[in-house]
């Protein structure tokens, strides 16, 4: 005969022992389990990325918490990081910006460098524009610049001796247009060839190298003499006046041209060195 409880219920209806014992945990809600699983995946992902960068891995979840079984491995065999669970995202670390004063100083330095470069280029262009080089110019071009247009302009000396002296002075200063421009165009080439050079420009540069005293060389030839001119065309000898401070340039024939100017129209060599002047009584 079945034993009955005091409340009249049959023994088959007795509840299992311990079902309502104190300390037993109620079953977890499925949504909470899924959220906890995603949180674990996110922590696994953080530990993986930190280990790849050489940082300390993130601490493991609290050991006292009940961990749900992972639905998939934290990392795959291929070494790929675990997927970021839905609802989570990695926030990139903010890049540290340079101080404002450093940025301002960098801009100022760049501006000064650009200004110096622009001024240098402009200065070079202005210098070349107002003081062009003689490189690459022919004797004819140099003559046009230094005295080839004497027919319409007053650009030559009005003294025949000064015309020759200016050639010496220009060679002492290495001024090609001023030296060659005192001669008629055909004579420029003859002057150079008589002295053993390719053209008048080369002659001026090479003769300048032989000058040892610029002042004495430029003043060896007088600007004028007290004697009357023999005519509108005559020859002036370098050896007659004893050239000092550099090489003697030979004899120059000068001729009077329009506007009272004197142009060198002929050149001949003289003995090198010049013969000694006869003693005076």
């Amino acid at each position: 005969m079945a034993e009955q409880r005091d409340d009249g219920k049959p023994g088959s209806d007795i509840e299992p022992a311990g079902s309502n014992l104190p300390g037993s945990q109620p079953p977890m809600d499925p949504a909470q389990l899924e959220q906890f699983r995603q949180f674990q995946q996110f922590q696994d992902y953080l530990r993986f990325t930190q280990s790849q960068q050489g940082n300390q891995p993130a601490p493991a979840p609290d050991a006292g918490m009940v961990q749900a079984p992972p639905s998939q491995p934290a990392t795959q065999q291929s070494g790929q990081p675990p997927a970021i669970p839905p609802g989570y995202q990695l926030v990139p670390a903010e890049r540290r910006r340079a101080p404002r004063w450093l940025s301002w100083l960098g801009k100022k330095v760049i501006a000064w460098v650009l200004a110096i470069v622009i001024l240098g280029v402009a200065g070079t262009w202005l210098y070349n524009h107002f003081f062009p080089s003689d490189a690459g110019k022919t004797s004819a071009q140099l003559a046009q610049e230094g005295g080839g247009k004497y027919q319409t302009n007053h650009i030559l000396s009005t003294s025949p001796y000064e015309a020759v002296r200016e050639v010496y002075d220009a060679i002492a200063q290495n001024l090609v247009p001023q030296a060659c421009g005192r001669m008629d165009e055909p004579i420029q080439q003859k002057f150079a060839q008589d002295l053993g050079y390719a053209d008048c420009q080369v002659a001026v540069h090479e003769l300048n190298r032989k000058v040892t005293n610029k002042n004495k060389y430029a003043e060896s030839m007088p600007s004028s003499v007290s004697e009357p001119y023999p005519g509108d065309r005559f020859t002036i000898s370098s050896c007659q006046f004893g050239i000092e401070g550099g090489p003697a340039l030979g004899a120059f024939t000068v001729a009077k041209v329009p506007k009272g100017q004197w142009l060198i129209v002929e050149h001949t060599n003289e003995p090198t060195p010049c013969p000694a002047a006869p003693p005076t009584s």
Side-chain angles (χ1 to χ4, degrees):
M1 184 174 182
E3 182 180 357
Q4 294 183 353
R5 298 176 57 185
D6 293 339
D7 55 4
K9 293 182 180 180
S12 59
D13 296 334
I14 297 176
E15 296 179 358
S19 60
N20 294 322
L21 291 178
S24 60
Q25 295 181 356
M28 296 184 67
D29 184 67
Q32 292 179 344
L33 286 175
E34 177 64 20
Q35 185 177 8
F36 183 74
R37 183 185 64 80
Q38 294 178 358
F39 176 73
Q40 279 189 317
Q41 290 182 347
F42 184 67
Q43 283 199 327
D44 291 340
Y45 184 85
L46 288 180
R47 283 197 297 271
F48 175 84
T49 55
Q50 290 179 353
S51 64
Q52 294 295 320
Q53 299 174 357
N55 299 329
Q56 293 293 333
D62 190 354
M65 297 179 63
V66 178
Q67 301 183 12
S71 59
Q72 61 182 8
T75 59
Q76 302 176 2
Q77 295 299 328
S78 61
Q80 296 295 329
I84 300 178
Y88 292 91
Q89 61 179 356
L90 290 178
V91 179
E94 183 179 358
R95 296 182 61 183
R96 186 176 182 181
R97 297 182 178 179
R100 287 187 176 181
W101 67 268
L102 186 59
S103 301
W104 177 85
L105 182 61
K107 293 178 181 178
K108 289 294 183 181
V109 171
I110 294 175
W112 276 108
V113 171
L114 291 176
I116 292 173
V117 171
I118 293 173
L119 288 176
V121 173
T124 302
W125 181 87
L126 289 173
Y127 181 85
N128 292 333
H129 178 73
F130 290 104
F131 304 98
S133 173
D134 295 331
K137 296 180 180 179
T138 64
S139 297
Q141 291 174 323
L142 295 172
Q144 292 295 321
E145 295 175 0
K149 297 180 181 179
Y150 62 85
Q151 295 89 346
T152 57
N153 299 309
H154 198 147
I155 56 179
L156 298 177
S157 175
T158 56
S159 167
Y161 291 93
E162 176 66 13
V164 177
R165 193 201 70 82
E166 286 178 343
V167 175
Y168 278 89
D169 182 57
I171 290 176
Q173 306 299 327
N174 201 24
L175 302 176
V176 176
Q178 287 78 353
C180 300
R182 301 292 181 260
M183 309 175 197
D184 196 13
E185 185 174 341
I187 302 307
Q188 297 173 31
Q189 186 65 25
K190 187 176 185 302
F191 165 76
Q193 291 177 350
D194 287 346
L195 297 176
Y197 301 106
D199 56 37
C200 189
Q201 179 179 357
V202 175
V204 172
H205 292 320
E206 294 301 322
L207 290 170
N208 173 262
R209 297 174 183 270
K210 299 179 180 180
V211 175
T212 57
N213 189 310
K214 294 182 179 180
N215 291 333
K216 286 185 177 181
Y217 193 66
E219 301 300 330
S220 294
M221 188 70 62
S223 299
S224 61
V225 294
S226 58
E227 301 174 1
Y229 302 148
D232 291 344
R233 181 187 177 105
F234 64 96
T235 299
I236 299 175
S237 169
S238 297
C239 289
Q240 178 184 355
F241 297 97
I243 305 302
E244 298 182 64
L249 301 180
F252 297 89
T253 299
V254 294
K256 199 170 186 179
V257 293
K259 299 184 179 297
Q261 304 173 98
W262 291 85
L263 177 69
I264 297 173
V265 295
E266 187 59 65
H267 176 269
T268 56
N269 283 333
E270 291 185 311
T272 304
C274 291
T280 57
S281 56

